[in-house]
C-alpha cells in the first residue's frame, strides 16, 4: 500500500473496515434477526427486539467510528509516525510462530486496555460526554458493535497505537486481530448466547466473556466491563453478582 496515493489508501482502508463490519455484523443480524428469529425467539436474552430506528442509529454511529479508525490507520501506516512503529514487512523475519503469538498478545493487550478504558468511561464525569451514545442501545443488536460517540471511537482506536508502539507486528497479524475483534464485538452485542449452559462450569468458561455478560452490562449499565475475558472483572470485583445465575438460567 506504500505505492498508492493517500486518497487511495484512505478509500481502501475505509472500504475494508466497512466491509468487515457489514459482513460480520450483517451475517449475525441476518441469521438471528431474520432466518432463525422465530425458532430462537425463546433464546433471546431480552425478549423484545430493537426498533428499526435503533438499528439505524447503531449503523450510523458505527460507520462514523470506522471513519475514525481510518484516520488511525493513516497515522500508523502513512504519516511520519509510521517510522517509529514496530511494524515489520516480511513474515519470515520473525516466523509464523511469532506471527500467531503476536495475534494472541494483541487480544490480551486489548482486553486489558478495553477493561480499564471502558470502566473509566463509566465514571460520572465522563459517561455523558463519551459513553452515553453506546448505551443508548440498552437492548443491543450486532450492529451496535462500533456504535460509539466520536470521542469514544478515538479511545477505542487507541489500542492500535498501543500495539503499534510496544509490539513488533506484521500488517496481516494486525488484520487478523481486527477481524477477531469485530467478530467478538458483534457476538457480544448479539442478543443471544452461543455458549451452552455447561460452558460456565468448564475450565475456561469461568474466564471467557460472553454475550450474556455484555448484554447484562447494556441492560443494567454497570459491571461486566471486559471484552474477551472475565479476568479483570473477577479480579477487580466488577463482575455483576447475577451473572452466573443469569447464564445458567438461559433457555
Amino acid at each position: 500500500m506504500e505505492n498508492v496515493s493517500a486518497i487511495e489508501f484512505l478509500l481502501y482502508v475505509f472500504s475494508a473496515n466497512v466491509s468487515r463490519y457489514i459482513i460480520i455484523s450483517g451475517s449475525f443480524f441476518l441469521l438471528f434477526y431474520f432466518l432463525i428469529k422465530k425458532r430462537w425467539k425463546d433464546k433471546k436474552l431480552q425478549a423484545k427486539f430493537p426498533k428499526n430506528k435503533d438499528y439505524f442509529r447503531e449503523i450510523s454511529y458505527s460507520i462514523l467510528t470506522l471513519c475514525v479508525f481510518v484516520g488511525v490507520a493513516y497515522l500508523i501506516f502513512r504519516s511520519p509516525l509510521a517510522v517509529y512503529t514496530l511494524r515489520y514487512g516480511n513474515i519470515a523475519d520473525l516466523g509464523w510462530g511469532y506471527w500467531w503469538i503476536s495475534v494472541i498478545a494483541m487480544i490480551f493487550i486489548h482486553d486489558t486496555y478495553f477493561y480499564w478504558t471502558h470502566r473509566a468511561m463509566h465514571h460520572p464525569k465522563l459517561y455523558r460526554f463519551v459513553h452515553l451514545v453506546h448505551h443508548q442501545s440498552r437492548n443491543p443488536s450486532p450492529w451496535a458493535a462500533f456504535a460509539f460517540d466520536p470521542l469514544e471511537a478515538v479511545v477505542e482506536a487507541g489500542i492500535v497505537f498501543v500495539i503499534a508502539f510496544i509490539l513488533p507486528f506484521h500488517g496481516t497479524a494486525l488484520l487478523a486481530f481486527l477481524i477477531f475483534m469485530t467478530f467478538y464485538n458483534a457476538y457480544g452485542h448479539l442478543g443471544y448466547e452461543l455458549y451452552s449452559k455447561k460452558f460456565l462450569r468448564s475450565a475456561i468458561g469461568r474466564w471467557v466473556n460472553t454475550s450474556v455478560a455484555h448484554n447484562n452490562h447494556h441492560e443494567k449499565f454497570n459491571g461486566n466491563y471486559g471484552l474477551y475475558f472475565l479476568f479483570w472483572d473477577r479480579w477487580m470485583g466488577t463482575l455483576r453478582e447475577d451473572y452466573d445465575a443469569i447464564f445458567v438460567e438461559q433457555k
Side-chain angles (χ1 to χ4, degrees), residues 8 26 35 40 44 47 60 81 92 94 102 124 132 135 148 184 189 214 236:
E8 290 174 322
L35 298 181
W40 276 49
K44 185 79 166 57
S60 298
L81 287 175
L94 296 178
S102 70
L132 177 61
H135 271 280
F148 306 133
Y184 216 85
H189 296 89
H214 198 66
M236 304 306 298

Side-chain angles (χ1 to χ4, degrees), residues 33-44:
Y33 287 68
F34 284 95
L35 298 181
I36 63 172
K37 179 179 179 179
K38 292 182 179 179
R39 192 187 321 163
W40 276 49
K41 65 178 181 179
D42 293 336
K43 296 181 180 292
K44 185 79 166 57

Side-chain angles (χ1 to χ4, degrees), residues 14-30 59 62-63 66 142-143 146 182 186:
F14 177 75
S15 62
N17 282 344
V18 172
S19 297
R20 185 175 70 248
Y21 168 67
I22 291 176
I23 291 171
I24 296 175
S25 293
S27 296
F28 274 131
F29 185 75
L30 177 63
I59 293 171
S62 290
I63 297 299
L66 295 176
W143 293 121
F146 297 118
T182 304

Side-chain angles (χ1 to χ4, degrees), residues 80-175:
L81 287 175
V83 298
Y84 299 105
T85 69
L86 300 181
R87 181 167 68 105
Y88 61 96
N90 298 312
I91 295 177
D93 290 346
L94 296 178
W96 279 104
Y98 177 79
W99 189 95
W100 284 105
I101 290 172
S102 70
V103 174
I104 295 170
M106 291 176 198
I107 292 170
F108 278 90
I109 292 169
H110 188 202
D111 188 71
T112 297
Y113 177 90
F114 182 89
Y115 174 86
W116 288 105
T117 56
H118 186 194
R119 186 173 174 182
M121 287 187 287
H122 273 266
H123 190 282
K125 292 185 178 180
L126 296 176
Y127 178 84
R128 182 162 59 94
F129 301 103
V130 184
H131 199 43
L132 177 61
V133 164
H134 190 62
H135 271 280
Q136 288 177 347
S137 297
R138 187 166 183 175
N139 182 13
S141 82
W143 293 121
F146 297 118
F148 306 133
D149 179 277
L151 286 176
E152 181 172 2
V154 172
V155 174
E156 299 294 348
I159 183 57
V160 180
F161 279 106
V162 173
I163 289 171
F165 290 102
I166 71 169
L167 184 73
F169 72 97
H170 190 270
T172 58
L174 182 62
L175 177 60

Side-chain angles (χ1 to χ4, degrees), residues 219-234:
E219 187 176 14
K220 304 298 183 181
F221 292 101
N222 53 31
N224 301 358
Y225 297 114
L227 178 57
Y228 309 118
F229 308 108
L230 297 176
F231 297 124
W232 288 107
D233 275 310
R234 291 195 183 277

Side-chain angles (χ1 to χ4, degrees), residues 178-250:
L178 292 174
I179 291 172
F180 176 81
M181 178 267 287
T182 304
F183 178 88
Y184 216 85
N185 215 353
Y187 153 70
H189 296 89
L190 181 59
Y192 294 87
E193 184 52 70
L194 302 183
Y195 292 117
S196 71
K197 293 181 181 180
K198 296 180 180 179
F199 180 72
L200 187 65
R201 301 187 181 95
S202 68
I204 65 171
R206 174 178 171 81
W207 304 106
V208 173
N209 198 17
T210 64
S211 189
V212 167
H214 198 66
N215 191 277
N216 198 20
H217 172 79
H218 272 264
E219 187 176 14
K220 304 298 183 181
F221 292 101
N222 53 31
N224 301 358
Y225 297 114
L227 178 57
Y228 309 118
F229 308 108
L230 297 176
F231 297 124
W232 288 107
D233 275 310
R234 291 195 183 277
W235 292 337
M236 304 306 298
T238 53
L239 186 68
R240 291 187 58 84
E241 294 181 358
D242 54 358
Y243 168 64
D244 288 5
I246 292 174
F247 189 92
V248 298
E249 287 173 2
Q250 62 175 305

